[in-house]
């Protein structure tokens, strides 16, 4: 019993993350990498090395080294491409073997050769292969979609077009002044039209009162009655022609 106790191994001094499983997420048509974090919580340097049951299927960097007290090391485990069979369970395993570093380290290989079995500590991890589920695929598709800024740029593209036909401040002022001038002309023409209409009414009264029915009275009555449509046509033509000229040119 005493001999068995003497050969008992020490508990692993390093803290592993993940502690028991190395998960690899497919598809496995390309190299898949997962990380293993080794943390040394002790006050002594610790030597480590990483072993696997399938060395041809994995690339490990770094696969050995020394971790200072209170420090950590990230080990990258790279699974090589292969034909994945969901019905086949992975039998691959990894082992992290450690030992306290001697005072003077000159040759790492010599450290492991000279280490006694009861000075070695090890932790085993199994490999787990996972294929992405449908939700993960949808998330990947959404993540690969172009950012909304691309759509915004498409919407912003045609925006300068309306500005090309818009009026600047100078042209706006000119247009306002022209409108005021036209309004004044319209008011003047309206006043003249009212005057001619009153004159026509007066002439009609004169014509009715004139029993002789002189040709002069009849001519003035015809001129007064025909002047109103002509003036309206002239006003409408000026107004329409002005605005058509502004917006077409």
């Amino acid at each position: 019993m005493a001999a068995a106790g003497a050969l008992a191994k020490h508990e692993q001094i390093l803290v592993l993350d993940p502690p028991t499983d190395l998960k690899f997420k497919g598809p496995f048509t390309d190299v898949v990498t997962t990380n293993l974090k080794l943390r040394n919580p002790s006050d002594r340097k610790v030597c480590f090395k990483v072993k696997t049951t399938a060395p041809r299927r994995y690339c490990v960097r770094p696969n050995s080294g020394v971790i200072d007290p209170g420090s950590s090391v990230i080990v990258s485990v790279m699974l090589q491409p292969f034909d994945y069979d969901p019905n086949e369970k992975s039998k691959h395993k990894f082992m992290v073997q450690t030992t306290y570093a001697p005072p003077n380290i000159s040759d790492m290989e010599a450290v492991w050769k000279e280490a006694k079995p009861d000075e070695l500590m090890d932790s085993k991890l199994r490999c787990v292969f996972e294929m992405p589920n449908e939700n993960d695929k949808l998330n990947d598709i959404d993540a690969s979609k172009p950012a909304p800024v691309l759509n915004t740029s498409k919407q912003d593209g045609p925006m300068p077009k309306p500005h090309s036909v818009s009026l600047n401040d100078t042209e706006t002022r000119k247009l306002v002044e022209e409108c005021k001038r036209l309004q004044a002309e319209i008011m003047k023409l309206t006043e003249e039209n009212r005057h001619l209409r009153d004159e026509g009414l007066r002439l009609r009264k004169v014509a009715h009162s004139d029993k002789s029915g002189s040709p002069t009275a009849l001519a003035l009555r015809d001129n007064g009655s025909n002047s109103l449509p002509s003036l309206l046509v002239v006003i409408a033509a000026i107004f329409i022609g002005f605005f058509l000229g502004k917006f077409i040119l």
Side-chain angles (χ1 to χ4, degrees):
M1 294 292 292
L7 294 175
K9 291 185 177 181
H10 296 286
E11 185 180 354
Q12 176 64 266
I13 189 60
L14 296 184
V15 178
L16 280 62
D17 182 21
T20 57
D21 296 337
L22 287 176
K23 294 183 179 181
F24 299 87
K25 182 171 289 189
F28 301 101
T29 55
D30 201 354
V31 175
V32 179
T33 302
T34 189
N35 291 328
L36 173 63
K37 182 179 180 181
L38 307 179
R39 182 171 63 87
N40 180 9
S42 71
D43 56 356
R44 297 176 57 184
K45 291 184 177 181
V46 175
C47 299
F48 77 92
K49 65 178 177 179
V50 182
K51 298 180 179 180
T52 178
T53 57
R56 294 184 179 180
R57 299 286 297 275
Y58 299 90
C59 181
V60 182
R61 293 290 183 274
N63 59 1
S64 63
V66 180
I67 306 177
D68 292 330
S71 299
S72 300
V73 169
I74 301 296
V75 177
S76 297
V77 182
M78 292 161 276
L79 173 63
Q80 304 305 304
F82 71 101
D83 294 329
Y84 175 69
D85 184 359
N87 297 321
E88 182 181 353
K89 292 185 179 180
S90 172
K91 298 180 181 179
H92 302 168
K93 294 181 181 180
F94 275 81
M95 182 174 70
V96 179
Q97 197 169 52
T98 60
T99 184
Y100 287 110
N104 296 320
I105 304 175
S106 58
D107 186 0
M108 285 296 298
E109 292 185 4
V111 171
W112 293 108
K113 287 180 180 180
E114 296 173 2
K116 297 178 182 180
D118 61 341
E119 295 176 347
L120 299 177
M121 298 167 281
D122 57 61
S123 298
K124 295 180 180 179
L125 302 94
R126 67 188 185 97
C127 298
V128 178
F129 300 152
E130 296 179 346
M131 288 296 290
N133 54 35
E134 293 300 324
N135 291 334
D136 292 339
K137 290 180 180 178
L138 291 175
N139 292 335
D140 291 341
I141 292 174
D142 292 339
S144 63
K145 286 183 179 179
V149 67
L150 297 178
N151 294 332
T152 304
S153 64
K154 290 181 181 178
Q155 294 174 358
D156 293 342
M159 287 302 291
K161 215 169 187 179
H163 293 294
S164 62
V165 296
S166 63
L167 299 175
N168 56 32
D169 294 340
T170 303
E171 291 176 343
T172 302
R173 285 196 297 270
K174 289 182 180 179
L175 182 59
V176 171
E177 292 174 359
E178 191 69 20
C179 287
K180 290 181 179 179
R181 188 185 66 79
L182 281 175
Q183 288 176 356
E185 289 289 337
I186 291 172
M187 291 177 65
K188 181 179 178 182
L189 291 172
T190 302
E191 182 66 22
E192 291 179 358
N193 183 48
R194 187 181 62 80
H195 178 72
L196 289 174
R197 183 176 59 190
D198 294 341
E199 185 68 18
L201 291 174
R202 188 182 66 79
L203 290 175
R204 284 196 188 97
K205 291 180 181 180
V206 173
H208 285 296
S209 62
D210 190 358
K211 296 181 179 180
S212 63
S214 63
T216 304
L218 294 174
L220 289 173
R221 182 179 65 185
D222 293 338
N223 290 336
S225 61
N226 292 333
S227 62
L228 179 61
S230 300
L231 284 173
L232 293 177
V233 170
V234 170
I235 293 169
I238 292 173
F239 194 81
I240 294 172
F242 171 75
F243 280 99
L244 285 177
K246 283 291 180 181
F247 286 102
I248 292 175
L249 299 178

